[in-house]
Amino acid sequence: MNRLPWLGLSLLVLLPLGAAAQIAAPRNPTDTRPVSSPVASPAPTPTPVPTPAQTTQQLRTHPIQSQGPAQVVPPTPPATTAPLKVYDRNGRIVPGMQQAGPNRVLDTRTGRYYDAVPSGDGQRIKP
């Protein structure tokens, strides 16, 4: 039982020493790499500024090409999707069914409409 106070006291003494060891003077950034002076690049050549007369001459010789009124671009059709899978009450796929609306399917063989609920990747006919 006598060791616990000595352990706590020694930790309190060593804690400031550990913190002081982490705080060091900042290192010089060139200690780990060589110092190189930047190379002077040659001065860029000045470009001539066009005068207003040259600008209007270029506009007169190169008119804007017109294609007539703006053309209406038809929207792209949606990507084709796989036919809707319709499952019967027992979970088997029923061929020839089409979706007639939200939660409604049409049996194309008999012409009857059935209520359905979303089920996985298709519709399931309600019992």
Side-chain angles (χ1 to χ4, degrees):
M1 294 300 261
N2 201 9
R3 289 186 183 180
L4 188 60
W6 282 104
L7 180 64
L9 184 61
S10 62
L11 284 177
L12 287 176
V13 170
L14 294 176
L15 186 64
L17 293 174
Q22 293 179 8
I23 300 173
R27 293 180 46 183
N28 191 358
T30 58
D31 285 346
T32 58
R33 60 175 190 233
V35 177
S36 61
S37 60
V39 178
S41 62
T45 57
T47 58
V49 177
T51 62
Q54 291 173 340
T55 306
T56 55
Q57 182 182 11
Q58 286 177 350
L59 290 177
R60 279 190 231 131
T61 58
H62 302 290
I64 298 172
Q65 298 294 326
S66 174
Q67 302 295 328
Q71 302 295 321
V72 177
V73 178
T76 58
T80 58
T81 59
L84 179 71
K85 294 181 181 178
V86 178
Y87 301 96
D88 66 359
R89 293 173 179 93
N90 298 323
R92 296 180 301 234
I93 294 179
V94 181
M97 291 280 212
Q98 293 179 350
Q99 185 169 6
N103 298 333
R104 295 282 288 176
V105 291
L106 168 67
D107 186 357
T108 57
R109 294 180 182 172
T110 62
R112 292 183 63 185
Y113 289 91
Y114 295 97
D115 291 331
V117 293
S119 171
D121 59 346
Q123 296 279 336
R124 176 176 283 226
I125 297 174
K126 281 187 186 178

